[in-house]
Amino acid sequence: SKPYTPTSSTNKPRSSVKLNPSNVTYYTVKEGDSLWSISQKFSGVSVQNIKDWNGISGSKLKPGMKLKVSKG
């Protein structure tokens, strides 16, 4: 296996991203965030979307949680 090179002129930046298949976007919850405030940061994302994509039933969030905020 070749050593990892962050900047490669031959690869498009997107293809060097592992652990992030099909452009799923993650948001790390900060103190004071709510589902509503997070949904406002991403256009076209609703509170229900965030709940569905992350299997959240209530609205309890913990700082440091990683939430999926796009379908990908």
Side-chain angles (χ1 to χ4, degrees):
S1 61
K2 284 186 271 183
Y4 173 71
T5 49
T7 51
S8 164
S9 53
T10 53
N11 283 357
K12 299 193 184 93
R14 210 165 278 197
S15 61
S16 66
V17 177
K18 313 251 188 329
L19 301 171
N20 203 1
S22 64
N23 296 330
V24 174
T25 304
Y26 287 94
Y27 175 80
T28 303
V29 178
K30 298 180 181 65
E31 194 74 55
D33 276 343
S34 66
L35 287 173
W36 187 85
S37 70
I38 294 167
S39 73
Q40 299 303 296
K41 295 177 202 288
F42 301 94
S43 66
V45 175
S46 70
V47 169
Q48 193 57 53
N49 287 150
I50 298 174
K51 287 183 166 190
D52 290 347
W53 298 334
N54 294 281
I56 298 171
S57 54
S59 55
K60 289 194 198 111
L61 297 178
K62 294 194 203 88
M65 275 173 78
K66 269 186 134 185
L67 295 178
K68 208 183 283 188
V69 289
S70 78
K71 271 186 289 228

